[in-house]
């Protein structure tokens, strides 16, 4: 697959990552011209030379780097300073993988990012991600608040997006929303319906409101848009 994907032929979606995940052609060319390279650097330069014949995204995930090659990758991955300041000549010529990924994201219906990139975009007031008004949070039990330890950074981010009306709607997916902690469960629900839920009040009194915010669906009943089951029953055999 290329960097752009279609779901059912109509919905364009794209996975967008932090700039350190993308190759900078200018930095790679500079490393290639170096007269002294370590074995790891030389191997990376050669890998990229072959990879450039096929890659459309410049995403390091396609390279399957060995752990010892990570420092060499840091020398050729994209940085933000020159790009943000408009000083990158390759970006102005349309040869920047980071800029290309952001441009494709502008035309996508769904952009998939991790919490770190979402947090970085919110911290700088936007610019890293296309403008969005609807947020879907997967594994939402990690976006939690603890009664003693307080909220996680992910929770603070979601709370800010809601309170400052930076998003119009939010959907949270989780297989373990409660985990035996009433406070965290109600704190998550408060992100969705602050008018109905308060983690500092009794859970029992708020149970009637669950139908306003929660849709419970067992894995056995989950289907895709074609009606096909997403989770098939396991094949069980016995041996004696």
């Amino acid at each position: 697959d290329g960097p752009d994907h279609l779901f059912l032929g109509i919905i364009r979606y794209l996975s967008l990552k932090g700039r350190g995940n993308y190759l900078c052609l200018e930095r790679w060319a500079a490393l290639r011209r170096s007269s002294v390279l370590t074995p790891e650097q030389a191997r990376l330069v050669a890998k990229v030379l072959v990879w450039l014949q096929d890659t459309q995204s410049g995403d390091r995930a396609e390279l399957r780097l060995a752990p010892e090659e990570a420092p060499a990758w840091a020398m050729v991955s994209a940085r933000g300073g020159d790009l943000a300041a408009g000083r990158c000549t390759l970006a102005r010529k349309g040869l920047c993988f980071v800029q290309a990924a952001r441009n494709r994201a502008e035309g996508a219906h769904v952009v998939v990012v991790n919490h770190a990139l979402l947090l970085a975009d919110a911290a700088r007031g936007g610019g890293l991600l296309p403008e969005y008004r609807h947020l879907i949070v997967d594994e939402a039990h990690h976006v939690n608040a603890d009664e003693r330890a307080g909220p996680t950074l992910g929770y603070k981010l979601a709370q800010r997006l809601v309170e400052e009306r930076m998003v119009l709607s939010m959907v949270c997916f989780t297989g373990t929303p409660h985990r035996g902690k009433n406070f965290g469960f109600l704190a998550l629900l408060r992100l969705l319906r602050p008018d109905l839920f308060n983690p500092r009040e009794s859970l029992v009194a708020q149970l009637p409101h669950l139908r306003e915010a929660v849709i419970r669906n067992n894995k056995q009943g989950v289907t895709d848009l074609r009606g096909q089951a997403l989770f098939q029953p396991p094949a069980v055999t016995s041996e004696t």
Side-chain angles (χ1 to χ4, degrees):
D1 292 334
D4 300 297
H5 305 275
L6 287 176
F7 182 63
L8 295 182
I10 55 175
I11 300 175
R12 294 187 303 276
Y13 68 95
L14 174 89
S15 177
L16 189 62
K17 301 179 180 180
R19 56 180 174 262
N21 290 278
Y22 298 97
L23 175 72
C24 172
L25 291 171
E26 189 170 47
R27 300 188 73 203
W28 171 75
L31 182 63
R32 186 184 179 191
R33 292 192 298 267
S34 177
S35 58
V36 180
L37 295 175
T38 67
E40 292 77 18
Q41 292 168 352
R43 186 163 57 246
L44 179 66
V45 166
K47 276 187 177 181
V48 171
L49 184 61
V50 176
W51 176 50
L52 285 175
Q53 310 305 311
D54 300 314
T55 186
Q56 299 179 49
S57 67
D59 185 347
R60 67 169 289 178
E62 297 176 358
L63 277 176
R64 298 183 179 180
L65 298 176
E68 60 270 19
E69 294 171 327
W73 173 261
M75 299 177 67
V76 301
S77 60
R79 294 182 299 183
D82 289 345
L83 181 60
R87 293 192 297 264
C88 180
T89 56
L90 292 179
R92 292 198 298 270
K93 294 178 180 178
L95 299 175
C96 173
F97 286 119
V98 175
Q99 196 61 55
R102 291 178 182 174
N103 290 341
R104 288 193 299 270
E106 291 285 353
H109 298 104
V110 177
V111 179
V112 181
V113 302
N114 60 20
H115 290 177
L117 185 54
L118 188 65
L119 183 62
D121 180 71
R124 60 177 289 175
L128 297 179
L129 301 176
E131 184 176 344
Y132 60 93
R133 287 291 178 266
H134 308 283
L135 181 65
I136 300 174
V137 182
D138 195 16
E139 303 292 341
H141 50 274
H142 295 300
V143 180
N144 62 73
D146 184 81
E147 191 168 9
R148 294 183 178 179
T152 62
L153 284 176
Y155 187 93
K156 290 180 180 178
L157 169 61
Q159 188 175 38
R160 176 186 171 189
L161 294 176
V162 171
E163 292 179 351
E164 297 185 9
R165 300 187 181 276
M166 299 171 69
V167 293
L168 298 179
S169 63
M170 183 186 304
V171 175
C172 295
F173 289 104
T174 174
T176 54
H178 191 280
R179 299 186 299 166
K181 299 179 179 180
N182 292 348
F183 187 92
F185 178 55
L186 291 172
L188 183 60
L189 290 173
R190 186 172 177 81
L191 291 176
L192 303 173
R193 291 296 302 268
D195 58 320
L196 295 179
F197 299 99
N198 188 332
R200 301 195 179 280
E201 296 180 0
S202 167
L203 171 65
V204 174
Q206 299 174 77
L207 288 178
H209 298 313
L210 288 181
R211 67 187 65 184
E212 304 293 332
V214 177
I215 299 176
R216 185 176 182 272
N217 199 343
N218 291 327
K219 283 187 175 181
Q220 291 81 359
V222 177
T223 65
D224 60 21
L225 294 182
R226 298 184 182 90
Q228 302 297 318
L230 289 179
F231 301 95
Q232 300 296 330
V236 179
T237 59
S238 59
E239 295 183 5
T240 58

